[in-house]
Amino acid sequence: MMNTEQLSIREIKACPINYVLAINDTLNVISGKWKLPIIGTLLYEKKRFTEIQKNIGKITPRMLSKELKELELNGVITRKVYDETPVLVEYELTESAKRLSEVLDKMVDWGLQHRTSLFQ
C-alpha cells in the first residue's frame, strides 16, 4: 500500500479503505463538541483565552483549557506566551488548520440548508 501523502484525492476516493482512513484521521483531530467551535473562533485572528470563551457559549474554562491543549498537541493551534505583567497568552491556528475554513464553510452551508428543509 502507498503512503497516503503520495495519494491524490482521486486515488483515495477510489479506495474505500483509504477514504475512511483519511476521514478518521481528520475526525481524530477535530472530533468533539467544542473543537470545531474553537477552530471557528480562531479562524480569522488570534485570541486570548477569555475572548475564545466569550465567543463560545456554555463552555467551561476547564473544558476550554483541555480542548486547547489537545488542539495544540495535534498541531491545530499554537500558544504564545508573552513575558508581560500580567502574562499575555494568545492562541492562533496553524497554517494547516487555516485550511479547515473551506470545510467549515461547507458545514455552515449544509447546516443552513438542512435547517431550512426541516422547517418547510
Side-chain angles (χ1 to χ4, degrees), residues 47-62:
K47 290 190 172 52
R48 297 175 71 176
F49 186 93
T50 53
E51 294 173 308
I52 298 168
Q53 189 178 6
K54 285 177 187 175
N55 286 337
I56 303 171
K58 299 182 182 178
I59 190 169
T60 64
R62 185 175 179 176

Side-chain angles (χ1 to χ4, degrees), residues 2 14 16 25 44 53 62 71 79 92 106 109 118:
M2 292 178 65
D25 289 344
Y44 301 104
Q53 189 178 6
R62 185 175 179 176
L71 288 167
R79 179 180 185 265
E92 185 174 21
K106 293 289 185 188
D109 287 344
L118 287 176

Side-chain angles (χ1 to χ4, degrees), residues 7 19-21 26 31 35 39 48 64 66 72 87 93 98 102 110 113:
L7 296 175
Y19 191 78
V20 170
L21 181 63
T26 304
S31 67
K35 287 191 176 77
I39 292 168
R48 297 175 71 176
L64 178 56
K66 175 189 165 293
E72 185 178 11
V87 175
L93 292 181
K98 288 177 183 176
E102 295 175 34
W110 183 87
Q113 290 173 12

Side-chain angles (χ1 to χ4, degrees), residues 81-106:
V81 180
Y82 298 93
D83 190 20
E84 298 178 4
T85 306
V87 175
L88 173 63
V89 180
E90 291 182 325
Y91 298 89
E92 185 174 21
L93 292 181
T94 61
E95 288 305 312
S96 175
K98 288 177 183 176
R99 291 193 299 267
L100 284 169
S101 68
E102 295 175 34
V103 174
L104 293 174
D105 288 348
K106 293 289 185 188

